[in-house]
Amino acid sequence: MPNAANRPLLRAMLQTFPSGDRLLVGRDISDLDSFADQIKMAVISAAALLFVIAGVASILVTRRTVGRIESINATSRAIMQSGLDQRIPLRGTHDEWDRVAENLNLMLDRIETLMGEVRQVSDNVAHDLRTPLTRMRGRLEKAYHGQRIGEDDQALIGDTIADLDAVLRIFSSLTRIAQIETEARRGAFRTVNLVEIAGEVVELYDAAAEQEGTRLTVVGDREVLVTGDRDLIFDAIANLVDNAIKHGRAGGQVVVANENIDGKPVISIADDGPGIPAHEYEQVFKRFYRLEHSRYTPGNGLGLSLVAAVAHLHGARIEMLDNSPGLKLKLWFSAPVR
């Protein structure tokens, strides 16, 4: 509608024109107002449509970005859990995300190559040094049982043989861990009973526990089945029991428990000794790592590294808990394959 300022001019125009012309002018003004309203509606509709399109586009871009980030995160979690053999999948779009994934995969390839070279060097050193050390031990053994000048010579040779045995055990442990980490032992997997293996381990270490005044017992279910390598599982449990006896409280107790928890086979070894500080739970599985109060006890810091390698091979999860007092270590295996 015309505003107040234009009304006198419009009234004069209507008085000037005949009645038919006045009707035509009024209709033109009405059509102009209708056209303006249509333009306003079109502008509002276009703006609303642009907002909808922008919202949909932002949602699609966000979902695409989040999806690619989640793909990288999933691969990172898989690498942390299973090793460096995982790679970030490419979508073939050749966009920035594909280039980021390619660069990360190249970096993982390089890291895997370097880790393989380091592992190969350590394996070669362990293998090559074990042969001359074994020969040296053999010659010392022969001298030990042969004619000697005196008791001092016998003691010196005996101590040297003991030191060589300790070095040979380290090399043997390193080689065994390397073999386990290659996952070449999966061919020996079969269904085994943790209760039977734990019973054999307890029987083996019963004398050592009695010597320390430690009470060693087995409790829990009668049948706890897992799929795995029986010898490796035996070694892992034996290392845990040996650690519990050596580092537990003198005259204390070590309890080996076998359970089926929510369909998952679990074995735990608990002692009532000084335990391990919570901030060192992850550190003790590193090779040659030893706690400060354990440095003067027999051992080489490879026992728990072997346990970690066996657990990784079997897809088992290691859980360390405060036993108040002492330490409880649990191995959570996957349900056996039927």
Side-chain angles (χ1 to χ4, degrees):
M1 295 297 295
N3 55 35
N6 295 329
R7 284 176 183 172
L9 177 60
L10 179 61
R11 190 178 297 111
M13 291 176 62
L14 290 176
Q15 291 175 355
T16 303
F17 293 107
S19 60
D21 292 338
R22 287 201 302 269
L23 181 60
L24 182 60
V25 170
R27 185 179 302 164
D28 290 342
I29 294 173
S30 177
D31 291 343
L32 182 61
D33 291 339
S34 176
F35 182 67
D37 291 338
Q38 290 177 2
I39 291 177
K40 290 179 181 178
M41 289 301 298
V43 171
I44 293 173
S45 299
L49 181 61
L50 287 175
F51 277 117
V52 171
I53 293 175
V56 172
S58 63
I59 292 173
L60 292 176
V61 171
T62 302
R63 289 185 61 183
R64 177 173 174 271
T65 302
V66 171
R68 298 303 295 270
I69 293 175
E70 181 56 32
S71 175
I72 295 175
N73 288 335
T75 304
S76 301
R77 289 191 295 268
I79 289 172
M80 289 186 289
Q81 293 173 359
S82 60
L84 290 171
D85 57 334
Q86 303 290 327
R87 293 295 180 271
I88 301 171
L90 303 178
R91 296 189 178 181
T93 55
H94 303 292
D95 56 1
E96 291 80 4
W97 286 109
D98 259 10
R99 287 197 289 272
V100 170
E102 288 175 356
N103 291 333
L104 290 175
N105 287 338
L106 290 174
M107 181 181 67
L108 290 172
D109 290 338
R110 181 60 176 163
I111 293 174
E112 187 177 23
T113 300
L114 293 175
M115 291 294 293
E117 291 176 356
V118 171
R119 189 180 299 112
Q120 185 66 35
V121 169
S122 62
D123 293 345
N124 290 339
V125 169
H127 183 271
D128 293 342
L129 287 181
R130 188 169 55 181
T131 300
L133 287 173
T134 303
R135 292 174 181 170
M136 187 185 304
R137 188 193 185 283
R139 288 192 291 268
L140 288 171
E141 186 77 19
K142 183 178 179 180
Y144 181 81
H145 294 288
Q147 295 182 353
R148 294 173 300 277
I149 298 175
E151 294 298 326
D152 291 340
D153 296 332
Q154 183 181 11
L156 178 61
I157 294 174
D159 292 341
T160 306
I161 290 176
D163 291 340
L164 284 174
D165 286 341
V167 175
L168 288 171
R169 282 194 296 270
I170 292 175
F171 287 146
S172 179
S173 298
L174 287 171
T175 304
R176 189 165 178 77
I177 292 172
Q179 290 174 348
I180 296 171
E181 290 178 341
T182 60
E183 301 188 358
R185 298 290 296 265
R186 286 187 180 273
F189 276 25
R190 57 188 177 89
T191 301
V192 296
N193 189 357
L194 283 179
V195 179
E196 295 179 359
I197 300 175
E200 294 176 8
V201 172
V202 168
E203 184 179 354
L204 176 65
Y205 281 90
D206 188 56
E210 185 177 351
Q211 185 177 359
E212 296 291 334
T214 301
R215 185 159 56 93
L216 180 60
T217 57
V218 181
V219 299
D221 300 338
R222 293 187 175 183
E223 185 177 74
V224 180
L225 301 179
V226 300
T227 301
D229 187 309
R230 193 182 193 282
D231 294 337
L232 292 181
I233 294 175
F234 181 93
D235 288 346
I237 298 174
N239 272 283
L240 293 176
V241 171
D242 182 54
N243 278 348
I245 294 173
K246 280 197 281 190
H247 304 298
R249 180 173 61 88
Q253 64 176 353
V254 174
V255 179
V256 182
N258 303 280
E259 304 172 275
N260 290 289
I261 303 177
D262 297 331
K264 291 186 176 181
V266 181
I267 184 169
S268 64
I269 294 87
D271 63 68
D272 55 358
I276 297 176
H279 65 274
E280 295 196 86
Y281 281 176
E282 297 295 329
Q283 303 294 326
V284 295
F285 294 102
K286 295 180 179 180
R287 298 183 186 185
F288 300 109
Y289 186 88
R290 305 191 70 187
L291 298 174
E292 190 62 35
H293 62 78
S294 302
R295 293 189 180 277
Y296 302 102
T297 58
N300 50 38
L302 291 173
L304 289 179
S305 298
L306 187 142
V307 173
V310 173
H312 177 75
L313 179 68
H314 290 80
R317 177 171 62 88
I318 301 176
E319 182 181 16
M320 301 184 78
L321 302 168
D322 186 357
N323 200 37
S324 299
L327 177 73
K328 176 182 286 188
L329 192 147
K330 288 186 173 182
L331 284 176
W332 293 75
F333 290 87
S334 302
V337 179
R338 301 291 184 179

